[in-house]
Amino acid sequence: MNPWPFVAAAYTVAISLTVGLLAWSYISMRSAEAAADSLRRK
């Protein structure tokens, strides 16, 4: 049995989840920075 389709699928899932986590973290960081800036301006 050829293991390469499983290996490719595992890499695809791992890379997709890593990119998703990075995007989520970046969006959360931008939101927190905007909230901090709005508090600083008041």
Side-chain angles (χ1 to χ4, degrees), residues 33-42:
E33 286 178 347
D37 285 342
S38 70
L39 289 174
R40 192 173 298 146
R41 291 181 186 159
K42 288 183 178 181

Side-chain angles (χ1 to χ4, degrees), residues 1-18:
M1 189 167 148
N2 189 0
W4 288 111
F6 174 77
V7 171
Y11 270 101
T12 301
V13 168
I15 290 170
S16 298
L17 291 176
T18 301

